[in-house]
């Protein structure tokens, strides 16, 4: 016989739990303990009698008319449900000792340990993070959503096995969500930030990050690209990141927050025309080769390209700029074709600035065309060390963050109108030592440790209101916790949903890896509403793609 022990003195909660458990399996033997003292007395009995004590513990529900059960060594304690005030996060040590006791006294098989579920009210004094222990299967908040209650109780009863039931209505889908990892934010500046990591970050890697340091009235995340990663002490790396594709509103808010912080510091940002290394003993200083820059913008009314060109001329030295009003004309000149508007451009180019609309439709295909023309040009002009120029985009219209991210593989950065001249100058000087600013700029930063969460895109194959199946390159340990974001445009309203690994299996698909089954942990009504909205929107998107 499988026994369920419930530590609960509230009659309404007792009724909800009893009815839900009986709807899952009418054969379950359910016993209630109305106080922690009553449970302690039973533990004393179990100390001497072991499994024989299971039939003697607690009391039946008031409407339970099942026959009396005789003591037996075959009985098992399958699940303990306890209200937080009785046996919750303040008694984690007691929970751990009780769980070990259940195994030691053979009240449950060692390979199928008694599941533990805590019930609690979602109040300010309840810290869900304290409950994120592998010994706890879940926290279920009161008042109960009866469907969710049944789902999560069934997961707890089944244990670490795949759940096969009509109770959980899951959507089979190939979709990308975000899995969060917490790192230490070390400092924030006007153009980026630094972190401490236990491993090096690959320079050029573009990732999404969440932090209150990036908070505006409609978002709390940024995209950033790693500039460098330096090992400071064994196993401790200081990584520097520069923002990518930041909209002006967020740039201004971050700058304002830094300057209003009384502990902010300022540093001079100035690249020298002749680096100090050129003055080494016995060496004649060498003037650096000017940066070759192409600007292409097909807008005819107040083109941003012209504004950017003037900005570079005003603020930078050691540059040569070639401006184009036609993308087709640029390709013709790269191929050295004789046309009416031909410009003579250098054999090799360092930077290209282009209007977003030129690349916004075909994206990387157009850039591949440009790089092929440049490669052919380099071969024709016998360039000894050809390079692929860096591409910067500028746009008069706003672009959704998730779309901005798709440009990260081939775009160095993106700037938006109205052009923030100060921000652009500081970014370009930070990127390029050869980008020489005529006047020194002042870069403000704040050195303080904060929580920063890295948002890694991961693939899921199935999702429901109770959990998901994650496709990953390895199996995760049972009971491990992860945080997920099911992203929606209303970013400030998007919760961080905790999941715990309930089961893993081999992915038999072509790519291999593992399928990790997660159960959502500590679900709140608001989280549930968000998941339902995300599921509905994902279903609509899937239908639109199919049509």
């Amino acid at each position: 016989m499988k026994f369920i022990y419930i530590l609960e003195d509230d009659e309404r909660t007792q009724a909800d739990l009893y009815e839900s458990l009986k709807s899952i399996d009418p054969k379950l033997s359910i016993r209630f303990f109305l106080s922690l003292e009553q449970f302690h007395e039973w533990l004393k009995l179990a100390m001497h009698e072991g499994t024989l004590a299971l039939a003697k513990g607690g009391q039946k529900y008031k409407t339970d008319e099942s026959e009396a059960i005789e003591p037996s060594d075959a009985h098992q304690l399958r699940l303990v449900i306890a209200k937080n005030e009785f046996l919750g996060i303040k008694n984690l040590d007691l929970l751990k000792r009780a769980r070990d006791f259940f195994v030691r006294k053979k009240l449950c098989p060692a390979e199928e340990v008694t599941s533990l579920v805590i019930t609690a009210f979602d109040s300010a004094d309840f810290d869900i993070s304290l409950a994120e222990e592998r010994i706890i299967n879940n926290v279920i908040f009161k008042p109960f959503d009866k469907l969710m209650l049944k789902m999560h109780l069934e997961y707890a009863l089944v244990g670490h096995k795949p759940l096969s039931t009509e109770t959980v209505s899951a959507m089979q889908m190939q979709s990308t969500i975000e899995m969060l990892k917490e790192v230490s934010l070390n400092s924030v500046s006007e153009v980026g930030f630094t972190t401490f990591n236990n491993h090096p970050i690959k320079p050029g890697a573009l990732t999404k990050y969440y932090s209150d340091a990036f908070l505006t009235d409609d978002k709390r995340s940024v995209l950033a690209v790693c500039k460098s990663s330096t090992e400071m002490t064994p196993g401790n790396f200081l990584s520097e990141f520069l923002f990518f594709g930041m909209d002006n509103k967020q740039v201004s808010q971050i700058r304002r927050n830094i300057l209003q912080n009384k502990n902010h510091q300022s540093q001079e940002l100035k690249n020298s025309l002749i680096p100090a290394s050129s003055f080494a003993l016995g060496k004649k200083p060498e003037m650096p080769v000017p940066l070759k820059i192409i600007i292409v913008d097909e807008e005819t009314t107040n083109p941003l390209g012209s504004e950017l060109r003037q900005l570079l001329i005003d603020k930078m030295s050691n540059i040569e700029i070639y401006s184009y009003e036609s993308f087709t004309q640029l390709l013709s000149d790269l191929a050295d074709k004789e046309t009416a508007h031909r410009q003579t451009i250098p054999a090799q180019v360092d930077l290209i600035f282009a209007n977003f609309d030129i690349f916004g439709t075909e994206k990387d295909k157009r850039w591949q065309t440009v790089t092929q023309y440049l490669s052919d040009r380099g071969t024709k002009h016998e360039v000894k060390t050809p390079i692929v120029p860096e591409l910067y985009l500028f746009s008069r219209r706003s672009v959704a963050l998730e779309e901005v991210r798709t440009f990260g593989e081939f775009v160095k950065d993106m700037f938006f109108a109205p052009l923030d001249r100060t921000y652009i100058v500081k970014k370009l000087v930070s990127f390029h030592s050869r980008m020489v600013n005529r006047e020194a700029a002042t870069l403000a930063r704040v050195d303080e440790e904060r929580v920063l969460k890295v948002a890694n895109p991961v693939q899921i194959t199935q999702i429901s209101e109770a959990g998901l199946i994650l496709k990953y390159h390895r199996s995760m340990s049972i009971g491990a916790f992860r945080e997920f974001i099911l992203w929606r445009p209303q970013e400030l309203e998007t919760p961080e949903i905790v999941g715990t690994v309930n089961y893993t299996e081999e992915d038999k698909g072509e790519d291999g890896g593992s399928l990790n089954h997660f159960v959502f942990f500590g679900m709140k009504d608001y989280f549930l509403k968000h998941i339902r909205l995300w599921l509905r929107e994902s279903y609509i998107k899937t239908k639109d793609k199919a049509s």
Side-chain angles (χ1 to χ4, degrees):
M1 174 65 70
K2 291 182 179 179
F3 280 83
I4 312 297
Y5 277 9
I6 302 176
L7 284 69
E8 178 63 65
D9 58 357
D10 179 71
E11 292 187 4
R12 174 64 182 274
T13 304
Q14 289 176 358
D16 288 341
L17 291 170
Y18 180 78
E19 291 169 5
S20 186
L21 287 164
K22 282 297 186 181
S23 70
I24 295 171
D25 184 356
K27 297 179 181 180
L28 292 173
S29 183
I30 303 170
R31 301 296 175 86
F32 288 89
F33 294 81
L34 304 185
S35 67
L36 187 57
E37 290 72 23
Q38 187 182 359
F39 184 65
H40 276 155
E41 290 301 315
W42 174 81
L43 286 174
K44 293 178 184 178
L45 179 65
M47 180 76 73
H48 299 289
E49 298 187 9
T51 54
L52 298 177
L54 283 172
K56 303 175 184 179
Q59 61 194 55
K60 293 182 180 179
Y61 187 60
K62 58 186 178 182
T63 62
D64 187 353
E65 298 179 352
S66 60
E67 297 180 359
I69 299 173
E70 295 298 322
S72 169
D73 287 331
H75 294 331
Q76 292 183 17
L77 182 58
R78 186 68 208 95
L79 170 64
V80 172
I81 304 172
K83 67 183 297 183
N84 183 54
E85 293 80 359
F86 282 1
L87 197 63
I89 59 175
K90 293 181 180 179
N91 296 302
L92 282 178
D93 186 60
L94 179 58
L95 275 173
K96 292 175 183 176
R97 285 189 282 119
R99 190 171 183 262
D100 293 340
F101 175 79
F102 299 155
V103 175
R104 191 169 66 251
K105 287 297 180 178
K106 297 183 171 28
L107 301 177
C108 62
E111 65 275 6
E112 194 173 356
V113 180
T114 302
S115 296
L116 302 175
V117 170
I118 293 174
T119 63
F121 287 100
D122 182 18
S123 59
D125 60 351
F126 182 81
D127 186 353
I128 184 68
S129 65
L130 297 178
E132 293 177 16
E133 289 277 349
R134 290 175 187 250
I135 63 168
I136 299 175
N137 288 67
N138 220 322
V139 173
I140 304 178
F141 286 110
K142 299 181 277 190
F144 299 129
D145 177 295
K146 291 192 176 181
L147 178 59
M148 292 304 299
L149 175 64
K150 185 176 181 180
M151 287 183 185
H152 286 298
L153 287 179
E154 191 154 7
Y155 270 115
L157 285 168
V158 169
H160 298 304
K161 300 175 184 177
L163 189 63
S164 177
T165 174
E166 294 180 357
T167 301
V168 179
S169 178
M171 180 184 292
Q172 306 291 329
M173 64 187 311
Q174 300 291 328
S175 186
T176 301
I177 64 171
E178 295 173 342
M179 184 167 68
L180 304 181
K181 180 182 179 182
E182 190 171 304
V183 297
S184 176
L185 181 64
N186 181 56
S187 69
V188 180
S189 77
E190 299 172 71
V191 298
F193 57 90
T194 60
T195 67
F196 277 120
N197 304 81
N198 58 10
H199 61 88
I201 307 297
K202 182 180 179 181
L206 177 69
T207 315
K208 188 177 181 182
Y209 299 86
Y210 288 89
S211 174
D212 289 343
F214 312 137
L215 185 66
T216 65
D217 57 6
D218 63 351
K219 64 177 63 172
R220 60 187 180 93
S221 69
V222 298
L223 292 173
V225 62
C226 181
K227 180 183 179 183
S228 64
S229 192
T230 307
E231 188 169 21
M232 308 301 290
T233 58
N236 192 23
F237 294 82
L238 178 66
S239 300
E240 181 182 359
F241 296 85
L242 294 174
F243 297 132
F244 178 88
M246 289 269 282
D247 66 67
N248 290 345
K249 189 176 183 180
Q250 199 167 20
V251 169
S252 298
Q253 185 62 55
I254 291 175
R255 180 190 295 137
R256 187 180 305 115
N257 292 344
I258 292 173
L259 294 176
Q260 289 177 351
N261 189 315
K262 64 180 182 180
N263 295 320
H264 82 268
Q265 302 178 45
S266 298
Q267 68 181 77
E268 183 179 277
L269 199 62
K270 181 72 170 75
N271 287 336
S272 176
L273 187 63
I274 303 177
S277 59
S278 297
F279 291 94
L281 186 64
K283 289 181 63 177
K284 180 180 180 181
E286 296 181 1
M287 295 296 290
V289 178
L291 281 170
K292 311 299 192 301
I293 300 173
I294 287 177
I295 300 177
V296 54
D297 187 359
E298 295 182 338
E299 282 189 355
T300 55
T301 305
N302 298 322
L304 283 177
S306 297
E307 184 180 343
L308 180 63
R309 181 179 186 276
Q310 192 59 50
L311 169 63
L312 294 176
I313 291 173
D314 292 343
K315 298 296 183 180
M316 305 296 182
S317 61
N318 197 46
I319 58 174
E320 294 177 5
I321 300 177
Y322 304 85
S323 297
Y324 284 86
E325 298 177 359
S326 166
F327 181 71
T328 303
Q329 183 63 49
L330 170 61
L331 295 182
S332 295
D333 285 3
L334 289 175
D336 288 332
K337 293 183 179 179
E338 292 294 340
T339 60
H341 301 286
R342 180 183 176 184
Q343 293 187 67
T344 301
I345 56 178
Q348 188 156 272
V349 177
D350 298 293
L351 309 176
I352 296 178
F353 293 84
N355 192 306
F356 173 82
D357 291 333
I358 294 175
F359 290 88
T361 52
E362 296 181 301
K363 295 183 180 178
D364 56 331
K365 290 184 179 179
R366 281 216 159 178
W367 180 237
Q368 289 171 8
T369 300
V370 173
T371 54
Q372 185 59 56
Y373 270 73
L374 286 165
S375 176
D376 294 343
R377 181 175 182 79
T379 302
K380 179 180 178 181
H381 290 268
E382 298 181 347
V383 175
K384 294 182 179 179
T385 55
I387 61 170
V388 177
E390 293 176 351
L391 174 63
Y392 293 81
L393 298 182
F394 50 86
S395 176
R396 191 171 294 282
R397 59 186 177 87
S398 61
V399 181
L401 184 66
E402 295 309 298
E403 185 178 0
V404 169
R405 186 172 194 160
T406 63
F407 287 88
E409 292 185 5
F410 64 99
V411 172
K412 188 72 173 180
D413 206 348
M414 298 174 66
F415 305 117
F416 297 92
L419 297 179
D420 189 318
R421 296 167 63 90
T422 300
Y423 176 72
I424 293 173
V425 168
K426 292 177 183 179
K427 282 297 290 290
L428 293 178
V429 172
S430 298
F431 271 130
H432 301 281
S433 60
R434 287 171 57 201
M435 183 72 78
V436 178
N437 43 328
R438 297 182 185 276
E439 298 178 355
T442 301
L443 184 68
R445 78 174 194 277
V446 173
D447 295 335
E448 62 178 3
E449 290 191 6
R450 290 200 193 190
V451 172
L452 179 71
K453 294 187 177 181
V454 186
N456 294 308
V458 291
Q459 300 296 313
I460 60 171
T461 61
Q462 178 180 300
I463 185 170
S464 72
E465 295 175 358
L468 57 84
I469 298 178
L470 171 68
K471 182 180 175 67
Y472 205 56
H473 64 87
R474 62 174 175 83
S475 294
M476 299 180 181
S477 59
I478 299 298
F481 288 88
R482 294 292 187 274
E483 286 183 311
F484 299 101
I485 283 185
L486 307 179
W487 191 86
R488 298 183 66 242
Q490 298 76 19
E491 191 168 282
L492 296 188
E493 301 173 9
T494 300
E496 296 171 2
I497 299 173
V498 177
T500 178
V501 180
N502 190 60
Y503 177 75
T504 66
E505 61 180 316
E506 179 186 354
D507 183 1
K508 297 180 180 178
E510 294 181 0
D511 299 332
S514 296
L515 297 176
N516 295 274
H517 296 235
F518 280 84
V519 177
F520 293 141
F521 186 90
M523 288 294 291
K524 305 177 183 180
D525 285 343
Y526 179 68
F527 292 4
L528 186 57
K529 291 175 183 176
H530 177 82
I531 291 173
R532 287 169 179 167
L533 283 171
W534 188 88
L535 285 170
R536 185 180 68 183
E537 291 169 1
S538 297
Y539 176 78
I540 293 172
K541 289 178 183 178
T542 302
K543 285 293 185 182
D544 289 343
K545 287 181 180 179
S547 60

